[in-house]
């Protein structure tokens, strides 16, 4: 398989492993009052560098994200936007200098873009569920490079499609040669078993009628022919034989006929159409193709934002309808959707709209590194949840919901390898639990309240192994017989973290005890 090489690749190819693990600091819950604490909705907006934020999400979300949509910098060279679409951004330059070193001074803007994207895509791949898919918006500046590095990270066999999205509805003289009116959405799956959902027909509910009082309710009629479909002959009610390529296999066609699902022209001599009932609107879909020209435009997206913010602007936002279509391709009603280049927050808006439309319980996670993460990204989501609109224009009804707003906190480990004592003990415990079990911190239920065996070091039991983290900020802890006397949980094996151990190897082998030294034996992500 062809691979792409650029200056600095050797420095970033495994950089995601060396990114320090930082905890997430909860700031507030919205729209509910802060005093209510972390909400149960599961929605998150994180302000901070997305590389660090993606690493911080691993303990809870590795392998759990069903759908990822990102709209990274296109690397156009335009530095005049609110969203700086150029990797010469000071934050990126500083990061490149730290990671790539002196070589960064000689990088072209394409080298810089690749250095920036590669470790982020590696972490996104780890977060993606086995049946999930990632969708990446891009244009001609980096599309070819993106395809090659995604082949390397996700596997060329997991390439799904390069969708062409028409972002302009009208011609514009943006180039002296050919005017671009499209962007791409590059799609990869986590595995070959991933199957995208069908797209529901673009029909308004007002189009559904019931002219023959069908007891199954209102319906529309849809074409029963389909180029490339099953080819066979049918006989109309008047005896006319028609051969064509049909949407359904022959046995399905006969079943539809017996169920009075086919509507022939009044003279009975034409091709039938089939009834699509209102309650089947989201069931009877079509396989999506790679040409999207019906999902709004950048101009309409800008107008949508203006209806939300009368006093703020944001260049080149993506249309909510476009992201709804993306999410609909891979997610079910309980999916988790991640956008680590959140921008104005369109992805959250799309998730909320889709949940309101079909009663779903999808969760969103947004990451935004720029300073407008709260004033634009989070603020938009608040207004969508509460409802928005200006005087003289229709008000958009609120979708409801809530989210938690986070900032990136301290690194879990200091440069000398020791645990950072500024970190809350519960966050450290959550990290240890995940490092051992690969289960999210939400599974750490036995460490609190009822079920706690009375030992503050007890984490929980997983696969007949009991885990203990014997750690005190101001004292040296020791695994000894006194500590063992406080253990009440029966398990086949015990994994115990402490600063020291005075038990003999023979004793630990006999009683199936594994000692792990703090901080040496703590797994680093």
């Amino acid at each position: 398989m062809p691979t792409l090489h650029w200056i600095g690749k050797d420095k970033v190819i495994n950089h995601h492993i060396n990114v320090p693990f930082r905890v997430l600091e909860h700031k507030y819950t919205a729209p509910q009052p802060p005093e209510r604490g972390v909400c149960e909705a599961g929605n998150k907006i994180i302000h901070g560098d997305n590389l660090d934020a993606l690493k911080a999400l691993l303990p809870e979300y590795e392998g759990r994200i069903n759908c990822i949509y990102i709209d990274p910098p296109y690397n156009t060279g335009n530095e005049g936007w609110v969203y700086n679409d150029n990797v010469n951004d000071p934050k990126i330059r500083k990061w490149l200098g730290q990671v790539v070193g002196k070589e960064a001074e000689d990088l072209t803007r394409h080298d810089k873009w690749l250095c920036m994207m590669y470790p982020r895509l590696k972490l996104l791949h780890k977060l993606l569920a086995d049946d999930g898919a990632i969708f990446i918006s891009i244009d001609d500046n980096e599309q070819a490079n993106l395809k090659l590095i995604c082949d390397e990270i996700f596997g060329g066999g997991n390439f799904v499609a390069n969708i062409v999205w028409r972002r302009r509805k009208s011609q514009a003289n943006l180039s002296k040669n050919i005017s671009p009116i499209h962007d791409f959405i590059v799609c990869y799956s986590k595995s070959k078993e991933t199957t995208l959902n069908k797209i529901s027909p673009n029909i308004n509910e007002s189009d559904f009628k019931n002219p023959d009082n069908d007891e199954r309710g209102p319906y529309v009629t849809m074409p029963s022919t389909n180029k490339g479909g099953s080819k066979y002959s049918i006989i109309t009610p008047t005896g006319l034989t028609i051969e064509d390529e049909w949407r359904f296999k022959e046995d399905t066609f006969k079943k539809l006929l017996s169920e009075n699902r086919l509507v022939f022209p009044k003279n009975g001599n034409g091709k039938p159409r089939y009834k699509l009932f209102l309650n089947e609107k989201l069931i009877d879909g079509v396989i999506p193709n790679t040409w999207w020209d019906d999902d709004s435009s950048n101009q309409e997206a800008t107008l949508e934002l203006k209806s939300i913010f009368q006093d703020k602007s944001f260049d080149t936002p993506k249309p909510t309808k476009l992201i709804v279509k993306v999410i609909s391709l891979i997610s079910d009603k309980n999916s988790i959707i991640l956008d680590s280049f959140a921008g104005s927050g369109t992805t959250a808006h799309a998730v909320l709209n889709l949940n309101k439309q079909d009663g779903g319980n999808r969760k969103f996670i947004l990451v935004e590194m720029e300073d407008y993460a709260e004033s634009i990204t989070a603020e938009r989501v608040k207004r969508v949840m509460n409802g928005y609109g200006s005087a003289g224009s229709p008000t958009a009804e609120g979708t409801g919901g809530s989210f938690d707003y986070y900032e990136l906190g301290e690194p879990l480990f200091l440069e000398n390898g020791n645990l950072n004592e500024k970190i809350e003990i519960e966050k450290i415990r959550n990290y240890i639990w995940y490092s051992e079990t690969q289960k999210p911190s939400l599974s750490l239920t036995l460490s609190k309240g009822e079920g706690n065996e009375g030992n503050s070091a007890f984490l929980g039991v997983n696969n007949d192994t009991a885990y203990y983290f014997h750690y005190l900020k101001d004292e040296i802890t020791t695994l000894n017989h006194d500590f063992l006397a406080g253990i009440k949980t029966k398990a086949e094996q015990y994994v115990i973290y402490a600063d020291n151990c005075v038990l003999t190897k023979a004793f630990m082998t006999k009683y199936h005890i594994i000692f792990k030294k703090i901080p040496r034996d703590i797994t680093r992500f």
Side-chain angles (χ1 to χ4, degrees):
M1 182 182 72
T3 57
L4 184 66
H5 295 277
W6 66 91
I7 298 174
K9 181 178 181 179
D10 59 325
K11 302 290 177 53
V12 299
I13 194 168
N14 289 314
H15 177 64
H16 64 286
I17 299 173
N18 299 320
V19 174
F21 181 89
R22 298 174 66 183
V23 299
L24 296 176
E25 296 291 349
H26 182 258
K27 294 301 179 183
Y28 61 83
T29 298
Q32 296 149 328
E35 60 268 22
R36 294 189 61 170
V38 177
C39 69
E40 297 180 358
N43 299 316
K44 293 180 172 66
I45 298 179
I46 303 168
H47 177 216
D49 187 298
N50 52 17
L51 188 61
D52 291 337
L54 292 174
K55 191 69 172 278
L57 289 171
L58 283 177
E60 188 171 348
Y61 292 101
E62 183 173 358
R64 295 183 60 212
I65 304 296
N66 307 98
C67 177
I68 297 173
Y69 170 79
I70 58 172
D71 185 16
Y74 284 9
N75 203 13
T76 62
N78 185 345
E79 294 186 273
W81 300 347
V82 175
Y83 181 71
N84 192 330
D85 199 19
N86 186 300
V87 290
N88 281 322
D89 179 279
K91 295 185 181 72
I92 296 298
R93 287 205 307 268
K94 180 180 178 181
W95 179 81
L96 287 168
Q98 293 171 340
V99 176
V100 180
K102 291 185 178 180
E103 289 182 34
E105 299 173 4
D106 300 323
L107 300 184
T108 68
R109 66 186 181 93
H110 297 291
D111 293 325
K112 294 175 184 176
W113 188 88
L114 288 163
C115 285
M116 182 272 293
M117 286 296 295
Y118 198 92
R120 287 161 173 81
L121 287 171
K122 292 283 280 189
L123 289 173
L124 288 169
H125 179 264
K126 291 175 72 68
L127 288 163
L128 194 60
D130 288 340
D131 60 350
I134 182 171
F135 300 82
I136 308 170
S137 283
I138 204 70
D139 73 356
D140 286 305
N141 283 281
E142 298 292 356
Q143 186 273 336
N145 288 332
L146 176 66
K147 175 71 168 58
L148 286 173
I149 60 173
C150 283
D151 280 348
E152 188 173 329
I153 295 169
F154 291 88
N158 290 325
F159 171 70
V160 176
N162 191 27
I163 298 164
V164 179
W165 169 61
R166 185 174 179 179
R167 61 180 171 85
R168 294 187 63 87
K169 298 300 183 184
S170 59
Q171 177 68 27
N173 294 323
L174 300 177
S175 171
K176 64 180 181 180
N177 293 317
I178 297 177
S179 180
I181 63 169
H182 74 279
D183 283 351
F184 301 102
I185 301 177
V186 178
C187 177
Y188 280 78
S189 62
K190 183 70 172 284
S191 68
K192 294 179 181 179
E193 285 69 37
T194 302
T195 301
L196 298 187
N197 298 328
K198 292 182 177 181
I199 298 293
S200 60
N202 188 19
I203 308 169
N204 295 319
E205 290 193 9
S206 60
D207 296 330
F208 287 79
K209 310 294 182 185
N210 197 353
D212 57 353
N213 295 317
D214 193 304
E215 62 181 13
R216 289 164 290 192
Y219 62 86
V220 293
T221 60
M222 304 289 289
S224 57
T225 58
N226 184 43
K227 188 174 182 180
S230 300
K231 191 172 184 179
Y232 52 88
S233 298
I234 67 165
I235 299 176
T236 71
T238 58
L240 179 68
T241 299
I242 300 177
E243 182 175 318
D244 209 326
E245 294 175 328
W246 305 96
R247 181 180 298 275
F248 310 103
K249 293 182 179 180
E250 189 170 5
D251 57 345
T252 303
F253 194 95
K254 291 178 181 178
K255 185 172 185 283
L256 292 172
L257 183 62
S258 68
E259 294 175 348
N260 190 30
R261 293 286 296 266
L262 297 179
V263 179
F264 289 85
K266 289 184 178 179
N267 60 14
N269 289 331
K271 298 173 184 177
R273 294 170 67 87
Y274 73 95
K275 293 180 178 181
L276 173 64
F277 291 96
L278 179 59
N279 61 2
E280 297 174 324
K281 185 177 172 186
L282 296 176
I283 300 174
D284 189 280
V286 295
I287 295 174
N289 59 44
T290 56
W291 171 244
W292 292 7
D293 65 349
D294 59 348
D295 298 288
S296 189
S297 64
N298 276 343
Q299 183 179 12
E300 291 170 83
T302 300
L303 292 174
E304 181 180 48
L305 264 185
K306 285 184 177 179
S307 69
I308 300 172
F309 295 110
Q310 286 77 48
D311 57 343
K312 296 173 184 175
S313 62
F314 195 95
D315 289 321
T316 65
K318 293 297 182 289
T320 302
K321 289 182 181 178
L322 176 71
I323 311 306
V324 165
K325 186 170 184 176
V326 167
I327 295 170
S328 299
L329 283 178
I330 192 64
S331 70
D332 60 28
K333 292 184 179 182
N334 295 299
S335 295
I336 304 174
I337 294 91
L338 168 65
D339 183 349
S340 56
F341 292 86
S344 66
T346 307
T347 297
H349 193 164
V351 170
L352 293 167
N353 280 359
L354 199 53
N355 281 345
K356 184 178 180 182
Q357 175 184 317
D358 64 11
N361 190 35
R362 300 170 186 84
K363 319 291 187 188
F364 64 78
I365 302 172
L366 306 187
V367 182
E368 179 50 55
M369 69 183 293
E370 298 294 340
D371 293 337
Y372 55 73
E374 187 167 14
S375 61
I376 293 180
T377 313
E379 182 60 29
R380 175 184 185 174
V381 179
K382 292 177 190 176
R383 297 188 186 195
V384 170
M385 289 176 170
N386 291 326
Y388 60 87
S390 59
S393 66
T395 298
E397 182 181 347
T399 61
S402 58
F403 66 89
D404 290 300
Y405 187 85
Y406 295 85
E407 297 275 358
L408 279 172
E410 294 269 347
L412 188 67
F413 298 98
L414 302 174
E415 291 185 2
N416 60 11
N418 290 329
L419 285 170
N420 187 344
E421 294 185 353
K422 295 180 181 179
I423 303 297
E424 297 174 18
I425 182 63
E426 201 59 34
K427 294 183 185 296
I428 301 175
R429 286 162 56 83
N430 287 342
Y431 180 94
I432 299 297
W433 173 259
Y434 179 78
S435 70
E436 288 287 352
T437 66
Q438 280 68 59
K439 290 187 175 181
S441 56
L442 297 177
S443 298
L444 220 171
T445 54
L446 294 179
S447 64
K448 296 180 180 180
E450 191 173 338
N452 190 328
E453 64 172 25
N455 188 329
S456 61
F458 182 52
L459 297 178
V461 178
N462 183 62
N463 293 331
D464 290 321
T465 298
Y467 294 91
Y468 293 80
F469 183 60
H470 187 24
Y471 171 76
L472 298 171
K473 289 184 178 180
D474 302 320
E475 298 179 27
I476 300 296
T477 59
T478 301
L479 172 55
N480 52 25
H481 291 283
D482 288 340
F483 179 82
L484 293 180
I487 291 180
K488 299 177 182 178
T489 298
K490 292 184 178 180
E492 292 185 3
Q493 181 175 259
Y494 299 85
V495 173
I496 303 173
Y497 284 84
D499 294 312
N500 294 310
C501 176
V502 296
L503 303 177
T504 65
K505 289 184 178 181
F507 179 88
M508 290 192 292
T509 299
K510 180 179 179 180
Y511 292 101
H512 309 290
I513 298 170
I514 297 174
F515 165 66
K516 293 196 174 184
K517 185 175 177 60
I518 301 173
R520 183 194 65 196
D521 295 329
I522 298 176
T523 301
R524 264 62 163 181
F525 288 107

